[in-house]
Amino acid sequence: MALDPLFGLHSAALAVQKQRMDVLAGNIANSDTPNFKARDIDFAATLRAQLGGGAQGNEALLKTQSTHLDAQSGADSLAGLVWRVPVQGSVDGNTVDTQIEQSRFADAALHYQASLNFIDGRVKGMLTAITGQ
Amino acid sequence: MSSFRIFDITGSALSAQSVRLNTVASNLANADSVAGDPSQVYRAHMPVFKAAAELGGENTPGVRVTDVVQSQAEPDKRYEPGHPLADADGYVYAPKVNVVEQMVDMISASRAYQSNVELMNTAKDLALRTLSLGR
């Protein structure tokens, strides 16, 4: 996915924040599941991968023959999925700390809203330009 | 795969936690149901939680109750010869339900339920805002 001409990186950022909220919701849903290991998304790495650049992104493989396969990580793949380092381990092997997950979820939700506001502003600006009123 | 996967995930947690609340309620309700035969005594029920990958894709699993197991603890033996259910030796058998443990379990389950409801509310607000973009 290249940089969107109208919305910049906000459409990609929105998608990554949504994925991040899915992962965090999965953590909180499993806060009482034995041996569940909490995870999070490395936002910067995933966004870079979605925009198709950077070291962790889907760099093009050097092909010496036309039959070589592409090394594509699709836009859906979670390049930056990382494990959460537990602050305080629990007896049942679960590494979910509900407080941490909730604060990260609030953070992701806030950033999602911020991106939404930017997109909303662009849409409204465009509408004004189109209608000319 | 739904575009609102977060609702599947938190929904699975809500249903799992309510199963847990139900078992706690059942255990507390039967904490004093005595019987004259140790094999007839109520046994505490406990749900088994497991991360369920199919609910939200492999990367973001929801949760599922795979089983409800019964406690294998031996029932309490009480000497009450006047009890109508007492056996030939005058004993009745009471379930080994630890009321304090059950209450703690209940608090934990209700807190987990609450945080998942909050999550669902936030996700719903964000989804509504996304749907009303540009209005």
mmCIF file of all heavy atoms in Angstrom, chain B residues 7 21 90 112 116 121:
data_model
loop_
_atom_site.group_PDB
_atom_site.id
_atom_site.type_symbol
_atom_site.label_atom_id
_atom_site.label_comp_id
_atom_site.label_asym_id
_atom_site.label_seq_id
_atom_site.Cartn_x
_atom_site.Cartn_y
_atom_site.Cartn_z
ATOM 1 N N PHE B 7 -15.560 -7.423 18.310
ATOM 2 C CA PHE B 7 -16.812 -7.805 18.968
ATOM 3 C C PHE B 7 -16.876 -9.316 19.188
ATOM 4 O O PHE B 7 -17.423 -9.777 20.191
ATOM 5 C CB PHE B 7 -18.010 -7.331 18.149
ATOM 6 C CG PHE B 7 -18.167 -5.841 18.152
ATOM 7 C CD1 PHE B 7 -17.912 -5.098 17.022
ATOM 8 C CD2 PHE B 7 -18.537 -5.181 19.312
ATOM 9 C CE1 PHE B 7 -18.030 -3.725 17.037
ATOM 10 C CE2 PHE B 7 -18.665 -3.805 19.336
ATOM 11 C CZ PHE B 7 -18.408 -3.072 18.196
ATOM 12 N N LEU B 21 -19.388 -17.177 36.197
ATOM 13 C CA LEU B 21 -20.294 -16.650 37.222
ATOM 14 C C LEU B 21 -21.395 -17.660 37.531
ATOM 15 O O LEU B 21 -21.794 -17.821 38.691
ATOM 16 C CB LEU B 21 -20.915 -15.336 36.751
ATOM 17 C CG LEU B 21 -20.065 -14.079 36.925
ATOM 18 C CD1 LEU B 21 -20.753 -12.901 36.288
ATOM 19 C CD2 LEU B 21 -19.836 -13.807 38.397
ATOM 20 N N GLY B 90 -25.037 -42.346 61.438
ATOM 21 C CA GLY B 90 -25.362 -41.003 61.915
ATOM 22 C C GLY B 90 -24.594 -39.902 61.230
ATOM 23 O O GLY B 90 -24.510 -38.789 61.741
ATOM 24 N N ALA B 112 -13.562 -8.993 35.234
ATOM 25 C CA ALA B 112 -13.173 -9.306 33.854
ATOM 26 C C ALA B 112 -14.331 -9.003 32.911
ATOM 27 O O ALA B 112 -14.127 -8.463 31.818
ATOM 28 C CB ALA B 112 -12.754 -10.763 33.750
ATOM 29 N N ASN B 116 -14.385 -6.168 29.764
ATOM 30 C CA ASN B 116 -14.735 -6.510 28.390
ATOM 31 C C ASN B 116 -15.918 -5.700 27.876
ATOM 32 O O ASN B 116 -15.964 -5.358 26.696
ATOM 33 C CB ASN B 116 -15.003 -8.008 28.281
ATOM 34 C CG ASN B 116 -13.732 -8.787 28.179
ATOM 35 O OD1 ASN B 116 -13.048 -8.716 27.177
ATOM 36 N ND2 ASN B 116 -13.369 -9.496 29.223
ATOM 37 N N ASN B 121 -17.809 -1.187 24.439
ATOM 38 C CA ASN B 121 -18.364 0.160 24.301
ATOM 39 C C ASN B 121 -17.430 1.049 23.498
ATOM 40 O O ASN B 121 -17.874 1.759 22.586
ATOM 41 C CB ASN B 121 -18.577 0.783 25.687
ATOM 42 C CG ASN B 121 -19.966 0.521 26.195
ATOM 43 O OD1 ASN B 121 -20.889 0.389 25.407
ATOM 44 N ND2 ASN B 121 -20.116 0.437 27.500
#
